[in-house]
Amino acid sequence: MLVAFFIGAATVIIFVAVVHRYLSGFDIPGLQDVLLDINLSWAQELCIIMFVWMAKFGAAYGVRTGIHVGVDVLINHLSDALRQKFIIFGLLAGALFTGTIGTLGA
């Protein structure tokens, strides 16, 4: 639901920003003055941040449900005990990476 919300919100924000930029180029005395007073310079940056979070939440959902794309040819040939250790290591490395990126991003 969160990823779907981000996709919908990003679509609406970018649509509004593009229409705003397009309409503010017309020399319509009352409309152009009002549109030029509205600052939508934040829209692109917000959408970039939302797409990053969509990717993060989508990847986390994929890992949780087991549908995340991964190269597991080598892992599947290991014994069960060794495979479990590699899977735990991979999940912890992903969590560490996400925590680092989230901390640096904040």
Side-chain angles (χ1 to χ4, degrees), residues 11-104:
T11 302
V12 169
I13 290 169
I14 290 297
F15 176 77
V16 168
V18 168
V19 169
H20 172 266
R21 185 171 52 237
Y22 180 76
L23 289 178
S24 62
F26 287 118
D27 191 17
I28 303 172
L31 180 64
Q32 190 178 34
D33 294 336
V34 171
L35 289 176
L36 290 176
D37 287 337
I38 299 172
N39 182 9
L40 290 179
S41 62
W42 51 267
Q44 182 178 358
E45 188 68 26
L46 177 63
C47 286
I48 290 170
I49 292 168
M50 289 170 68
F51 273 105
V52 169
W53 281 106
M54 278 186 268
K56 284 303 202 185
F57 284 122
Y61 177 75
V63 168
R64 173 179 265 184
T65 60
I67 61 171
H68 193 273
V69 176
V71 180
D72 55 358
V73 174
L74 178 64
I75 299 292
N76 289 338
H77 290 328
L78 298 174
S79 66
D80 287 339
L82 195 54
R83 181 181 329 151
Q84 188 70 17
K85 289 178 183 177
F86 271 94
I87 290 172
I88 296 296
F89 174 76
L91 291 174
L92 290 174
L96 176 66
F97 175 76
T98 301
T100 303
I101 295 297
T103 303
L104 293 174

